[in-house]
């Protein structure tokens, strides 16, 4: 009843408040035993470090107090309610960003693969608690950056400081576009329409009618905001109707969506 809903809401609020003062200091993550140079090639291809050579990246990582940490599968990187978090860049593995409501429903907002970053908005907006959580989908290495230093005048007068600021703005804009696409994918009322919207966009960005998606079936259901069983049933009907063919996370569009 309403009383139970109220209790769940209050418990949810208390959980977030208990985490509010927790400081996810990147200083406790050490990279002394890591050879960061092996990741320079990956970082040069990222939006964040686009246009930076190895020497510039090395200087910027030092300027941003770069640290690294390894996470096992299903380990939480950031909890809901964490504050003053660093920006994370996936070096290997994969993480997903999601959020649970007071009823226990889980919604995947996005994911990050090698070379992609996360928590940039909360890293820039100081003292604002994280609303989503970040969880490792598999064993992952994460690079943490004290990105708040980018928003201040660099005392070391780093040559590529301005470039990094420009890249950060571009990167955040790109992430906002991805979130807009999620809104588009979850706006339709029917499961079939949501699936068609999602698969159509995946086909577009892959420039092919045949492609792999980043999610397993449960994650796909969470992303689209639907029940897993209902999603599986609808995918089966769409296959029977000759609209799609699929095997696990590999899909092929048989008709124009």
């Amino acid at each position: 009843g309403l009383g139970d809903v109220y209790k769940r809401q209050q418990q949810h609020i208390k959980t977030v408040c208990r985490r509010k003062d927790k400081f996810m200091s990147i200083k406790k993550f050490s990279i002394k035993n890591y050879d960061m140079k092996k990741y320079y090639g990956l970082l040069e291809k990222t939006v964040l470090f686009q246009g930076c050579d190895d020497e510039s990246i090395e200087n910027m990582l030092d300027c941003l107090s770069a640290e690294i940490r390894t996470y096992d599968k299903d380990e939480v990187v950031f909890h809901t309610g964490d504050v003053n978090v660093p920006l994370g860049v996936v070096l290997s593995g994969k993480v997903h960003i999601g959020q649970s409501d007071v009823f226990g429903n889980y919604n995947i907002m996005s994911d990050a693969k090698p070379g992609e970053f996360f928590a940039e908005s909360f890293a820039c907006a100081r003292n604002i608690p994280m609303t989503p959580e970040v969880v490792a989908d598999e064993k992952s290495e994460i690079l943490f950056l004290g990105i708040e230093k980018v928003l201040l005048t660099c005392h070391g007068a780093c040559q590529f400081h301005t470039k990094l600021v420009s890249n950060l703005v571009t990167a955040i804009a790109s992430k906002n576009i991805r979130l807009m696409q999620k809104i588009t994918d979850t706006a339709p009322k029917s499961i079939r329409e949501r699936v068609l919207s999602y698969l159509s966009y995946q086909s577009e960005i892959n420039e092919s009618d045949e492609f792999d998606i980043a999610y397993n079936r449960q994650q796909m259901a969470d992303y689209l905001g639907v029940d897993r069983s209902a999603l599986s049933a609808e995918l089966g009907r769409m296959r029977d109707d000759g609209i799609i063919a699929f095997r696990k996370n590999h899909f092929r569009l048989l008709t124009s969506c």
Side-chain angles (χ1 to χ4, degrees), residues 35-98:
D35 179 15
M36 283 303 300
K37 291 184 179 180
K38 67 180 181 180
Y39 295 116
Y40 286 175
L42 173 66
L43 294 177
E44 288 174 2
K45 297 176 183 178
T46 66
V47 176
L48 201 58
F49 289 98
Q50 187 175 14
C52 300
D53 56 22
D54 287 2
E55 182 179 357
S56 300
I57 290 177
E58 183 176 1
N59 291 334
M60 291 307 299
L61 291 179
D62 181 64
C63 177
L64 299 177
S65 302
E67 305 289 346
I68 198 170
R69 186 176 180 183
T70 300
Y71 291 86
D72 292 326
K73 176 179 171 60
D74 295 328
E75 188 175 357
V76 177
V77 180
F78 293 144
H79 293 85
T80 298
D82 286 344
V83 295
N84 296 329
V85 298
L87 179 146
V89 180
V90 180
L91 297 178
S92 66
K94 177 186 171 186
V95 302
H96 69 255
I97 300 90

Side-chain angles (χ1 to χ4, degrees), residues 108-192:
I108 290 182
M109 302 167 64
S110 62
D111 60 70
K113 300 180 287 295
E116 297 179 337
F117 60 94
F118 57 90
E120 67 285 348
S121 296
F122 294 96
C124 294
R126 310 305 293 166
N127 300 317
I128 302 298
M130 287 275 293
T131 48
E133 67 176 5
V134 181
V135 180
D137 268 350
E138 55 191 78
K139 188 172 183 179
S140 306
E141 290 179 299
I142 310 297
L143 174 70
F144 293 99
L145 303 173
I147 209 66
E148 74 281 356
K149 295 184 179 180
V150 174
L151 308 178
L152 304 173
T153 301
C154 182
H155 298 296
C158 297
Q159 181 180 1
F160 281 88
H161 190 89
T162 302
K163 180 64 176 177
L164 189 58
V165 173
S166 175
N167 287 349
L168 179 62
V169 173
T170 300
I172 292 177
S174 299
K175 292 291 286 291
N176 285 339
I177 292 173
R178 289 176 59 182
L179 290 177
M180 289 175 60
Q181 182 60 43
K182 173 169 170 77
I183 293 175
T184 299
D185 292 339
T186 56
K189 293 183 178 180
S190 73
I191 296 177
R192 177 168 295 200

Side-chain angles (χ1 to χ4, degrees), residues 206-225:
N206 283 281
E207 299 182 344
S208 173
D209 290 337
E210 191 166 353
F211 48 86
D212 292 331
I213 65 173
Y215 302 134
N216 60 33
R217 201 65 77 239
Q218 180 61 61
Q219 292 169 338
M220 184 179 181
D222 291 339
Y223 174 84
L224 295 175

